[in-house]
Structure formats: structure tokens, C-alpha cells
Amino acid sequence: MSDALRLEQIEYPFKKNWIVSYPWVNRPSPGPNRGRIIHIADVGGDGGSLWTATLAGWVPMNGRMALASNWGTLNSPISSITGVKSGVFAINGGGGSLIIPGGMLLPGRSRIQIEAFLLRLGTGGQNTWNIRLGSTGTVSDSAVYAIGSVPADNNRGTRAFVTVGFNDLTATSATYLAPGSSATGNAYTDVPIPALGDPITVSFLVASANTADTFRLVGYSVDLLSS
């Protein structure tokens, strides 16, 4: 037997500390692995992400990670809606995913921070746009943010800053005044969501509008904070 092969068969004491990569669905149980760091290959964009085991569950290393991000420009937004009274922005590309895997959100210990920018073109009528959480990615999901504009607000840009906390079947949001904005938008308390063991989708939509107006989703970022 060669020396190289003999070395490969030795159980090194530090082998238990090697960082192993898993897809989220195949991650090991956190309880017996408290303090262990693993790599999750399918969460956090192309490079994946590092996670630490706690007694409550797996949390992002250092407590924060980017779940999804996708930004365009005012003239080249990532998605547009026009000619309809309501609709969900269809989103392609970007980093990460707007579907949060089941078991990632820990009740009382996890929250997500959402930033988004919407541009409204036209003076057709009043309108409302939402950020929603749920299982369908449609208007049937629960709103965690809402803001509207009046007919005279042509070429109006709206920037949303929203933090959402979770219990097992409800979510509560808080909004913050974005730089250059005059309104924070509406937050929601104890809205129904799927069980945290199930996937939860973040969606951006126009809830009500005049068909003469155009809405552009310029971009968004979704970050997870857990401890």
C-alpha cells in the first residue's frame, strides 16, 4: 500500500470540523451538530452560503445573508406591468430565490428585510402596490407592505424598506422611511402565512391600478437575519 493511500485512510482528529456542502433539503439535524458550520449549496446565490447549527435550528453564519437580489434601472427595470387593473410582477434572473425554503425561518428568531423600488408612469388613477408572503406568489397571499399614489403622481418612484418577523403561522411587518421618501407605507400585524416548515414565497404586485398606467419594478433585495 502506498504512503498516500495509507494517509487517506487515517481518521484525522480535525476531520469533524471540515465544512461539508449540502442542499438545504438534505442538511443534517442541527441539535447534535451544535456549533458546526456547513455549506448550503442552493441558498444564497451561485456561491451558496455558510450556516451554523444552534439548538433552535440552522442560522446564517454571522447572523445575516442575502436570500435574493435583482436590480435594473429606471429605463431597464427587471419587470413591468401595464394595461391591467392588477398583476404580479413576473421576475426572471437575479441572484438567489424569492422562495424561502421550508424550515429556514425560525419562530421568534428570524426576520427578513426587504428593499424594493417601484416606478409608476401615468396619471390614470389611484393605485396600490404590495409586497406579499404566502404559498402561491399571487394576490391570494398576505400583504406585509402596501403603499399607494394619487392620479397626479406621474413618474413617481417609491422605495420600500420592510422588516418582517415570524411566528409559526403569522407574520408581522414594520416599515421605515426610505431616503428621499415622504411616506413609509402600511405595515401589517399577525397576518396569516404558511407554517414555517413549508416554503414561503415573496412576491411584488400591483393590487389596484388604472389600465392607462405603467408600473416598473426597478429592483429588490431580500435578506435573512436569524440568531
Side-chain angles (χ1 to χ4, degrees):
M1 181 183 295
S2 69
D3 290 341
L5 183 58
R6 187 176 293 110
L7 285 171
E8 287 178 1
Q9 295 177 342
I10 296 175
E11 288 293 327
Y12 293 102
F14 55 80
K15 185 175 181 180
K16 64 181 180 180
N17 294 321
W18 288 2
I19 296 177
V20 180
S21 185
Y22 304 88
W24 177 259
V25 69
N26 290 336
R27 68 198 184 282
S29 175
N33 291 285
R34 183 181 180 187
R36 181 184 175 190
I37 297 172
I38 63 172
H39 177 262
I40 298 295
D42 55 352
V43 174
D46 294 341
S49 52
L50 295 177
W51 294 71
T52 303
T54 70
L55 292 179
W58 289 98
V59 300
M61 192 172 178
N62 300 321
R64 184 182 187 119
M65 64 156 294
L67 286 175
S69 184
N70 195 355
W71 289 92
T73 66
L74 295 179
N75 293 323
S76 298
I78 62 171
S79 186
S80 295
I81 291 176
T82 189
V84 296
K85 293 183 177 180
S86 64
V88 179
F89 287 101
I91 298 172
N92 295 303
S97 173
L98 289 172
I99 300 176
I100 303 171
M104 185 171 289
L105 298 172
L106 305 177
R109 301 185 64 150
S110 294
R111 53 198 170 100
I112 58 173
Q113 290 185 342
I114 305 170
E115 179 184 357
F117 188 83
L118 179 89
L119 179 66
R120 178 266 187 103
L121 302 173
T123 57
Q126 292 184 327
N127 65 88
T128 302
W129 74 283
N130 291 155
I131 300 172
R132 295 187 176 236
L133 298 178
S135 59
T136 67
T138 69
V139 70
S140 298
D141 292 342
S142 295
V144 293
Y145 176 86
I147 196 167
S149 59
V150 299
D153 286 336
N154 182 33
N155 200 30
R156 172 175 174 165
T158 301
R159 192 175 183 186
F161 281 101
V162 189
T163 296
V164 186
F166 300 91
N167 288 312
D168 191 42
L169 293 170
T170 63
T172 296
S173 60
T175 65
Y176 305 91
L177 187 65
S181 300
S182 59
T184 61
N186 295 325
Y188 293 80
T189 300
D190 291 336
V191 298
I193 58 170
L196 298 185
D198 296 328
I200 295 177
T201 297
V202 181
S203 59
F204 305 90
L205 59 94
V206 176
S208 62
N210 188 286
T211 57
D213 292 338
T214 295
F215 300 87
R216 296 177 177 177
L217 181 61
V218 177
Y220 64 82
S221 296
V222 182
D223 290 353
L224 171 68
L225 293 82
S226 287
S227 60

